[in-house]
Amino acid sequence: MSAFEYRFPVSDMIRRLKYHGDIYLAKQLGRMLVDVASVGSVDVIVPMPLHRRRLGERGFNQALELARPLARASGLPMLVDAVVRERDTSPQAGLSPAVRKRNLRGAFGCTRSFAGLSVLVVDDVMTTGATAEEFARTLRSAGARRVENLILARTLPGR
Protein backbone atom coordinates (compact mmCIF):
# COMPACT_ATOMS: atom_id res chain seq x y z
CA MET A 1 0.00 0.00 0.00
CA SER A 2 1.23 3.47 -0.75
CA ALA A 3 0.05 6.50 1.17
CA PHE A 4 0.57 9.04 -1.60
CA GLU A 5 1.31 9.48 -5.26
CA TYR A 6 4.91 10.61 -5.82
CA ARG A 7 4.20 14.24 -6.73
CA PHE A 8 4.42 17.67 -5.16
CA PRO A 9 4.43 18.38 -2.24
CA VAL A 10 5.28 14.86 -1.02
CA SER A 11 7.95 14.30 -3.69
CA ASP A 12 9.66 17.54 -2.67
CA MET A 13 9.57 16.58 1.01
CA ILE A 14 11.08 13.17 0.26
CA ARG A 15 13.88 14.70 -1.85
CA ARG A 16 14.63 17.24 0.88
CA LEU A 17 14.74 14.47 3.47
CA LYS A 18 16.95 12.11 1.48
CA TYR A 19 19.28 14.43 -0.38
CA HIS A 20 19.41 17.58 1.72
CA GLY A 21 19.38 16.04 5.20
CA ASP A 22 16.14 17.72 6.30
CA ILE A 23 15.62 14.98 8.91
CA TYR A 24 12.85 16.90 10.68
CA LEU A 25 10.61 16.02 7.71
CA ALA A 26 10.84 12.31 8.58
CA LYS A 27 8.74 12.77 11.70
CA GLN A 28 6.05 14.66 9.80
CA LEU A 29 6.03 12.15 6.91
CA GLY A 30 6.04 9.26 9.38
CA ARG A 31 2.97 10.67 11.11
CA MET A 32 1.29 10.86 7.72
CA LEU A 33 1.97 7.12 7.34
CA VAL A 34 0.42 6.48 10.76
CA ASP A 35 -2.76 8.18 9.58
CA VAL A 36 -3.21 5.79 6.65
CA ALA A 37 -1.60 2.58 7.88
CA SER A 38 -3.48 -0.55 8.79
CA VAL A 39 -1.20 -2.70 10.95
CA GLY A 40 -3.74 -4.97 12.63
CA SER A 41 -2.63 -8.13 10.86
CA VAL A 42 1.17 -7.80 11.08
CA ASP A 43 3.59 -8.96 13.76
CA VAL A 44 6.65 -6.78 13.14
CA ILE A 45 7.79 -3.70 11.25
CA VAL A 46 10.97 -3.81 9.18
CA PRO A 47 12.29 -0.63 7.57
CA MET A 48 14.04 -1.02 4.22
CA PRO A 49 17.77 -1.06 5.01
CA LEU A 50 20.46 1.02 3.36
CA HIS A 51 23.91 -0.33 2.59
CA ARG A 52 26.43 0.83 5.19
CA ARG A 53 28.22 3.03 2.62
CA ARG A 54 25.04 4.91 1.69
CA LEU A 55 24.05 5.11 5.36
CA GLY A 56 27.45 6.67 6.09
CA GLU A 57 26.99 9.20 3.28
CA ARG A 58 23.44 10.15 4.24
CA GLY A 59 23.86 9.84 8.00
CA PHE A 60 20.45 8.23 8.50
CA ASN A 61 18.09 5.69 6.96
CA GLN A 62 14.99 7.50 5.76
CA ALA A 63 12.86 4.32 5.87
CA LEU A 64 13.83 3.77 9.50
CA GLU A 65 12.96 7.36 10.35
CA LEU A 66 9.59 7.02 8.59
CA ALA A 67 8.86 3.77 10.45
CA ARG A 68 9.58 5.14 13.96
CA PRO A 69 6.25 6.96 14.45
CA LEU A 70 4.36 3.93 13.13
CA ALA A 71 6.12 1.56 15.53
CA ARG A 72 5.43 3.91 18.43
CA ALA A 73 1.77 4.41 17.53
CA SER A 74 1.07 0.73 16.86
CA GLY A 75 3.15 -0.76 19.66
CA LEU A 76 4.62 -3.24 17.17
CA PRO A 77 8.28 -4.18 17.42
CA MET A 78 10.52 -2.64 14.79
CA LEU A 79 13.35 -4.94 13.75
CA VAL A 80 16.06 -2.55 12.63
CA ASP A 81 19.00 -4.91 12.05
CA ALA A 82 17.07 -8.06 11.14
CA VAL A 83 17.68 -7.56 7.42
CA VAL A 84 20.80 -5.98 5.96
CA ARG A 85 21.71 -4.69 2.55
CA GLU A 86 24.68 -6.90 1.80
CA ARG A 87 25.52 -5.54 -1.64
CA ASP A 88 26.09 -1.89 -2.40
CA THR A 89 23.84 -1.73 -5.45
CA SER A 90 23.69 1.10 -7.96
CA PRO A 91 20.91 3.60 -7.31
CA GLN A 92 17.70 2.38 -8.94
CA ALA A 93 16.71 5.79 -10.34
CA GLY A 94 17.07 5.88 -14.09
CA LEU A 95 17.40 2.09 -14.54
CA SER A 96 14.97 0.08 -16.65
CA PRO A 97 12.71 -2.42 -14.85
CA ALA A 98 14.76 -5.39 -16.08
CA VAL A 99 18.05 -3.83 -14.99
CA ARG A 100 16.53 -2.90 -11.62
CA LYS A 101 15.71 -6.56 -10.96
CA ARG A 102 19.22 -7.73 -11.89
CA ASN A 103 20.75 -4.92 -9.86
CA LEU A 104 18.98 -6.13 -6.70
CA ARG A 105 19.40 -9.91 -6.99
CA GLY A 106 20.95 -11.10 -3.72
CA ALA A 107 21.21 -7.58 -2.31
CA PHE A 108 19.61 -8.43 1.04
CA GLY A 109 20.30 -10.93 3.79
CA CYS A 110 18.48 -11.79 7.03
CA THR A 111 20.27 -11.88 10.36
CA ARG A 112 17.42 -13.73 12.08
CA SER A 113 14.53 -16.05 11.36
CA PHE A 114 11.13 -14.67 10.42
CA ALA A 115 9.46 -18.07 10.80
CA GLY A 116 5.68 -17.67 10.83
CA LEU A 117 5.73 -13.88 11.10
CA SER A 118 3.70 -11.40 9.12
CA VAL A 119 6.05 -8.52 8.25
CA LEU A 120 5.26 -4.92 7.37
CA VAL A 121 8.05 -3.38 5.30
CA VAL A 122 8.28 0.42 5.37
CA ASP A 123 9.97 2.36 2.58
CA ASP A 124 9.87 5.85 1.15
CA VAL A 125 9.34 5.46 -2.61
CA MET A 126 8.28 2.65 -4.93
CA THR A 127 8.73 2.89 -8.68
CA THR A 128 8.72 -0.52 -10.36
CA GLY A 129 8.50 -2.58 -7.17
CA ALA A 130 11.78 -4.39 -7.88
CA THR A 131 13.28 -3.51 -4.48
CA ALA A 132 10.12 -4.52 -2.62
CA GLU A 133 9.93 -7.77 -4.59
CA GLU A 134 13.53 -8.77 -3.82
CA PHE A 135 13.16 -7.74 -0.18
CA ALA A 136 9.98 -9.83 0.18
CA ARG A 137 11.72 -12.79 -1.45
CA THR A 138 14.51 -12.50 1.13
CA LEU A 139 12.02 -12.31 4.02
CA ARG A 140 10.04 -15.31 2.75
CA SER A 141 13.22 -17.34 2.42
CA ALA A 142 13.83 -16.57 6.11
CA GLY A 143 10.38 -17.97 6.93
CA ALA A 144 8.07 -14.96 6.79
CA ARG A 145 4.47 -16.10 6.43
CA ARG A 146 3.36 -12.86 4.78
CA VAL A 147 5.03 -9.63 3.65
CA GLU A 148 3.13 -6.37 3.27
CA ASN A 149 4.56 -3.08 2.06
CA LEU A 150 3.77 0.37 3.35
CA ILE A 151 5.25 2.90 0.98
CA LEU A 152 5.13 6.62 1.57
CA ALA A 153 4.83 7.49 -2.14
CA ARG A 154 4.40 5.51 -5.34
CA THR A 155 5.36 6.76 -8.78
CA LEU A 156 2.75 6.22 -11.42
CA PRO A 157 3.51 4.84 -14.88
CA GLY A 158 4.34 7.52 -17.40
CA ARG A 159 5.33 10.12 -14.81
Side-chain angles (χ1 to χ4, degrees):
M1 173 188 148
S2 65
F4 300 96
E5 186 178 319
Y6 188 75
R7 62 184 172 138
F8 186 83
V10 173
S11 59
D12 186 57
M13 293 170 76
I14 291 170
R15 281 192 299 273
R16 287 175 37 211
L17 169 63
K18 289 172 72 168
Y19 305 117
H20 300 286
D22 291 349
I23 190 75
Y24 68 92
L25 289 169
K27 193 176 210 176
Q28 181 180 354
L29 291 166
R31 283 194 303 261
M32 292 163 65
L33 278 180
V34 169
D35 291 342
V36 300
S38 173
V39 298
S41 61
V42 299
D43 301 307
V44 295
I45 297 171
V46 177
M48 183 67 68
L50 288 178
H51 186 269
R52 65 183 170 275
R53 183 191 60 77
R54 191 157 302 146
L55 181 60
E57 289 172 356
R58 191 168 290 159
F60 62 93
N61 177 346
Q62 70 279 0
L64 169 61
E65 299 306 324
L66 293 171
R68 282 185 201 281
L70 183 61
R72 267 190 230 108
S74 67
L76 289 170
M78 182 168 59
L79 306 180
V80 176
D81 297 320
V83 185
V84 295
R85 196 156 198 148
E86 294 179 332
R87 286 194 316 102
D88 187 12
T89 57
S90 302
Q92 294 287 84
L95 300 179
S96 72
V99 174
R100 285 174 185 248
K101 274 188 163 187
R102 280 195 311 272
N103 186 42
L104 289 164
R105 182 58 65 188
F108 302 105
C110 292
T111 61
R112 61 160 283 168
S113 170
F114 283 88
L117 294 177
S118 179
V119 180
L120 179 66
V121 176
V122 176
D123 203 2
D124 59 344
V125 178
M126 180 185 284
T127 304
T128 65
T131 304
E133 188 177 301
E134 180 65 17
F135 198 71
R137 189 191 67 71
T138 301
L139 289 166
R140 284 191 299 274
S141 69
R145 176 175 46 88
R146 195 173 83 233
V147 178
E148 295 182 30
N149 291 293
L150 178 58
I151 309 300
L152 179 61
R154 173 86 197 241
T155 62
L156 297 179
R159 292 209 176 174

